[in-house]
Amino acid sequence: MKSIQTELVREILSRFDLEGAVTEAVPYGEGHINDTFLATNEHGRHYILQRINTEIFRDPEALMENVCGVTDYLRGMIERQGGDTERETMRVRRDREGLACVRDPEGGAWRVYDFVERTVCLQRVRGAEDLKTVGEAFGRFQRMLAGYPAETLHETIPRFHDTPDRYEKFERALEADVCKRAGECAEAIAFVQARKRDCGVLMELLSAGELPLRVTHNDTKLNNVLIDEKTGRGICVIDLDTVMPGLSLNDFGDTVRFGANDCEEDERDLTKVNFSLPLYESFTEGFLSGCGGALTEKELEYLPWGAKLMTLECGVRFLTDHLEGDHYFKIHREGQNLDRARTQFKLVSDMERDWEAMSGVVRKYCL
Ligand code: ADP
Ligand code: GN1
Ligand code: MG
C-alpha cells in the first residue's frame, strides 16, 4: 500500500467495515484543514479517509454526530424525492463496533466516507455556469435543512463566523506579534483596522432579531460541492464539519469570496485579483433559485454584506494566522497566509467599488 503513513493508515482502514481489503491510500484534495486520503480496495472501489484536524475540531465525536445526523436526514429527504441516495449526500462508514470516528493511539481521529464517483471538484471556476450550479447546490442544501432540529447540532467551532470576535483575535495577535511579522504587513493591517466597524454589521442585526438563525454549512467553498461529470449539476455538498446554526448570508458570502473571481486564493500578483460581477450574478441567480424563496426581505437586502464580510473575515483569519506563525491553515510556502489575506482585501475593495451593482443584481433575481 502506498501512502505517507502506510502502517497507521493501513491499521485504521482495517478497522472499518468496508467491502474487501484496501490496497492503496494516497493523499488527496486541496482542503486547508483535514488530512484527506483516497483509498482503493481490491475491487477498485474508492473511499475518502480523513484524519480530522483535532487542533481545530476539539470534539470529533460530537462533530461526527452532526455529520451523521445531517447526512441521514438529507438521505431520507432525497429518498422521498426520488433522488440518488448514493450520490446526493455523503455516506459515513463505521468501524466494526459501529463508531463513525476511530481513534489512533496518539488520539488522532479518523473517518471514512464512500467516494462519490464520476464527479468534478473544482478548485477554480471554469465559467459562469459553474457558479450558478454551485449556488443552486448550496441554496438547496440550506432549504433542505430548514426543518432540521438545530438544537441537536453541536457547535464544532465556537464563534466560527463571529466577525467582531475574529477582529478582536486579530488585534491580540497584532499586539503580541510573536513572529515579528507585523512590520511587513502594515498595509494589510491598516486595511483591516479601517473596517473595524463594518465587522459588526451582521452580528448586530442578528442580535436585534432582524436576521434569522438557520442551519447553514458555513464553509461554502467551490471545492465543497461535487459536480456530476455528466449532467453538470452540483449534486453533493461535502465538508460538513461546520454545519451549525448560522446566517444564510455567510453561506452566500463565502462562495462569492472564493468563486466570484478568476484567481488563486493565494495569488501574489494582485493585478490578477479581480472581483467579477458577472460571476457574482450567476452565483446569485443559482443561490436564490436553490433557496426557493425562503430568504426574508432583510436577508436579501444584506446579501452583499454577506459577501463583503465573509471576504473580510477570511482575510482577517489568514492575516491573524500569518502573525501567529501559521498554526491554523495549512501552508505550502512561507508567506502564503499573508498572500491569501491580501487577495481577500483586494476583493473587498473591489466589492466596495461595485456595491450598488451588487445590490442591483440581488434585486434583479428576487423579484
Ligand atoms: P477539508 O476540510 O480539509 O477541506 P474536505 O472534507 O473538503 O476537507 O475534503 C477535501 C477534498 O476531498 C474535497 O475538496 C474533495 O475533493 C474530496 N472529497 C471529500 N469527500 C469526498 C467524497 N465523499 N467523495 C469525493 N470526493 C471527496
Ligand atoms: C478552510 O476546510 P476548507 O479548506 O474547505 C476553512 C474555511 C475558510 C477556508 C479558506 C474549518 O476551508 O473557514 O474559509 O479554509 N475551514 C475551517 O480557504 O476553518
Ligand atoms: Mg473542504
Side-chain angles (χ1 to χ4, degrees):
M1 187 189 295
K2 285 183 282 171
S3 146
I4 47 168
Q5 297 155 306
T6 313
E7 272 319 305
L8 180 58
V9 166
R10 187 201 303 274
E11 201 272 317
I12 295 295
L13 281 165
S14 72
R15 286 160 60 184
F16 280 89
D17 195 11
L18 306 175
E19 297 80 3
V22 172
T23 51
E24 190 179 63
V26 290
Y28 188 78
E30 296 188 28
H32 292 340
I33 304 296
N34 298 308
D35 293 328
T36 303
F37 301 85
L38 175 67
T40 310
N41 80 358
E42 54 192 335
H43 311 297
R45 187 176 168 135
H46 298 118
Y47 306 90
I48 286 286
L49 166 72
Q50 284 181 322
R51 176 164 50 195
I52 300 170
N53 186 328
T54 45
E55 287 293 311
I56 293 177
F57 298 107
R58 311 304 289 219
D59 187 349
E61 279 79 12
L63 181 155
M64 287 313 290
E65 228 176 275
N66 282 1
V67 175
C68 292
V70 166
T71 50
D72 285 349
Y73 182 88
L74 290 175
R75 191 169 304 101
M77 203 170 259
I78 292 162
E79 194 166 11
R80 285 192 294 280
Q81 293 170 356
D84 184 345
T85 52
E86 297 298 311
R87 302 182 76 231
E88 294 178 18
T89 188
M90 290 198 295
R91 185 179 291 277
V92 177
R93 304 304 296 247
R94 293 175 182 269
D95 76 351
R96 294 181 204 287
E97 286 158 29
L99 299 175
C101 179
V102 162
R103 293 288 190 157
D104 68 33
E106 268 107 60
W110 299 79
R111 67 178 167 211
V112 170
Y113 294 122
D114 280 355
F115 184 81
V116 183
E117 302 282 356
R118 302 179 306 285
T119 63
V120 183
C121 177
L122 297 175
Q123 304 305 331
R124 254 171 97 159
V125 278
R126 297 165 303 189
E129 203 49 37
D130 282 338
L131 275 186
K132 191 170 161 207
T133 298
V134 167
E136 281 163 359
F138 282 128
R140 203 167 49 236
F141 180 83
Q142 201 170 101
R143 180 153 51 108
M144 287 174 84
L145 289 179
Y148 192 83
E151 68 287 354
T152 63
L153 284 169
H154 305 281
E155 195 178 18
T156 55
I157 302 181
R159 312 185 84 166
F160 189 53
H161 285 318
D162 180 336
T163 316
D165 183 60
R166 296 289 187 181
Y167 184 90
E168 291 305 319
K169 286 179 174 138
F170 151 73
E171 284 285 5
R172 285 203 291 277
L174 181 58
E175 176 101 359
D177 196 16
V178 287
C179 299
K180 300 277 167 279
R181 289 176 169 175
E184 71 190 33
C185 326
E187 215 179 311
I189 291 167
F191 187 93
V192 173
Q193 287 175 327
R195 286 160 185 77
K196 178 176 180 181
R197 287 194 36 211
D198 286 349
C199 291
V201 167
L202 296 183
M203 290 300 280
E204 281 158 24
L205 288 169
L206 175 67
S207 307
E210 294 195 50
L211 288 173
L213 210 52
R214 300 180 184 275
V215 174
T216 49
H217 182 281
N218 294 304
D219 188 2
T220 53
K221 263 171 36 174
L222 213 57
N223 61 8
N224 287 331
V225 172
L226 301 176
I227 298 175
D228 188 282
E229 230 170 56
K230 237 195 195 145
T231 64
R233 195 164 163 264
I235 53 163
C236 185
V237 171
I238 61 169
D239 202 346
L240 305 180
D241 299 340
T242 49
V243 173
M244 289 182 277
L247 294 176
S248 59
L249 307 181
N250 292 341
D251 278 6
F252 175 84
D254 202 30
T255 319
V256 172
R257 170 190 85 71
F258 190 84
N261 58 69
D262 68 350
C263 64
E264 300 290 344
E265 190 175 50
D266 61 350
E267 175 60 58
R268 278 183 263 204
D269 178 357
L270 290 183
T271 64
K272 292 188 184 153
V273 180
N274 297 297
F275 171 64
S276 159
L277 263 177
L279 292 178
Y280 168 81
E281 174 158 353
S282 292
F283 175 69
T284 305
E285 183 184 2
F287 187 79
L288 292 181
S289 100
C291 286
L295 301 188
T296 65
E297 280 297 317
K298 209 53 164 191
E299 287 179 301
L300 292 168
E301 182 187 341
Y302 277 86
L303 283 176
W305 273 100
K308 170 168 157 168
L309 288 195
M310 272 300 94
T311 313
L312 180 63
E313 181 192 284
C314 196
V316 168
R317 293 171 61 199
F318 287 143
L319 182 57
T320 304
D321 202 30
H322 177 72
L323 291 170
E324 290 178 342
D326 308 300
H327 62 84
Y328 189 97
F329 296 103
K330 284 185 190 165
I331 55 161
H332 309 288
R333 60 177 163 80
E334 211 165 292
Q336 194 172 7
N337 274 320
L338 178 58
D339 292 334
R340 288 171 176 153
R342 286 183 173 138
T343 63
Q344 304 310 297
F345 300 148
K346 169 63 168 62
L347 294 169
V348 169
S349 319
D350 286 1
M351 290 179 202
E352 289 171 346
R353 178 198 64 202
D354 293 342
W355 199 244
E356 287 310 313
M358 287 174 77
S359 297
V361 165
V362 174
R363 283 195 297 275
K364 180 169 163 189
Y365 291 99
C366 66
L367 288 178

